[in-house]
Amino acid sequence: MKKFLVHSLTPPRTENKSARRMKQATLVVALLLPATAAWAQRFPDANELLANVRLHQSQQEIDLHGQLRQEARVVPFHLVQNGPVVRYIFSNPDETLQLRIGANDSRLDEIKRSGSEKITQLNEPVRGTAITYEDLALKFLYWPNARVIGADFIRTRNCWKMQLRPPTGDSQYGSILLWVDKDNGALMRMEGYDSAGKMIKR
């Protein structure tokens, strides 16, 4: 007696348009996730990047004359840097500020005939301008709450874009954006924002 194999035929399932669109969207997301993760992994560690910036800043040899400007007010100064020691020399009246750039902190002193005196009121303006002693002390380069948020070109230089936030409420800034040269760690641009997100310095 012949045996017949009987196959149960199940009618094909039908999907509505909404289900197909959902599957397509899921597939697109699944394809994009690995690429997004790979891009994020290309960013350097923010703390290591800041350490490189501090190292670059502490290795410079500079002798130049510049100006601080606040509307019609112009304050000339002489800047002399020998490695980690930077001097800002003002006249009328005479004043010399000395910045020492360390690996873990910076220190800003006023140099007097009797010796040096540490400047503690960092949020005070320098000679009536928008520049503060905090700016001259480069304190933001030591903030621990830093992250790399992208890449950008500044004056044809390829830079990392960083966002820094102060660890305490003592700073005049709520956050700072920095652009750091990818090749040599040089600071290419800085933008300061208040706690409401308004840009107050550039």
Side-chain angles (χ1 to χ4, degrees):
M1 182 177 181
K2 294 183 179 180
K3 295 182 180 180
F4 295 93
L5 297 177
V6 179
H7 298 276
S8 176
L9 298 178
T10 304
R13 291 182 299 174
T14 59
E15 292 182 340
N16 57 36
K17 291 183 179 180
S18 177
R20 284 199 300 271
R21 283 197 296 267
M22 181 68 70
K23 283 189 175 182
Q24 290 170 354
T26 303
L27 178 61
V28 170
V29 171
L31 290 174
L32 285 177
L33 280 176
T36 303
W39 173 255
Q41 291 172 2
R42 293 194 187 104
F43 288 174
D45 179 82
N47 291 326
E48 291 181 3
L49 184 56
L50 278 182
N52 288 334
V53 172
R54 295 193 295 269
L55 180 62
H56 176 83
Q57 290 294 116
S58 67
Q59 293 177 335
Q60 299 189 68
E61 301 290 330
I62 300 174
D63 189 334
L64 60 81
H65 292 268
Q67 295 177 336
L68 302 181
R69 291 180 173 270
Q70 178 67 27
E71 297 178 350
R73 184 177 181 83
V74 178
V75 179
F77 68 93
H78 182 198
L79 186 151
V80 179
Q81 178 172 354
N82 294 304
V85 178
V86 185
R87 285 200 171 192
Y88 302 93
I89 304 168
F90 299 92
S91 58
N92 194 28
D94 292 344
E95 181 184 22
T96 299
L97 305 176
Q98 178 174 284
L99 169 65
R100 184 172 292 276
I101 304 172
N104 300 311
D105 198 6
S106 66
R107 178 184 171 112
L108 186 66
D109 293 316
E110 182 178 359
I111 305 301
K112 300 180 178 181
R113 292 182 180 179
S114 58
S116 62
E117 181 179 330
K118 183 179 180 180
I119 295 177
T120 57
Q121 302 298 321
L122 294 177
N123 284 334
E124 292 295 317
V126 177
R127 300 211 163 200
T129 68
I131 301 299
T132 65
Y133 293 105
E134 179 185 18
D135 297 324
L136 297 186
L138 302 178
K139 287 297 184 182
F140 53 86
L141 293 182
Y142 299 88
W143 290 351
N145 303 319
R147 62 192 185 104
V148 180
I149 60 174
D152 204 352
F153 281 89
I154 303 295
R155 297 196 296 273
T156 74
R157 299 296 299 176
N158 197 3
C159 300
W160 292 117
K161 184 178 180 181
M162 304 186 69
Q163 184 181 60
L164 317 177
R165 295 189 183 278
T168 66
D170 297 334
S171 175
Q172 64 187 305
Y173 300 111
S175 65
I176 283 180
L177 293 181
L178 286 185
W179 284 260
V180 178
D181 193 299
K182 288 185 178 182
D183 291 334
N184 56 32
L187 290 178
M188 299 300 295
R189 178 183 290 177
M190 173 264 195
E191 292 178 357
Y193 296 80
D194 63 16
S195 57
K198 179 182 178 181
M199 187 168 69
I200 57 176
K201 201 169 297 180
R202 184 176 185 178

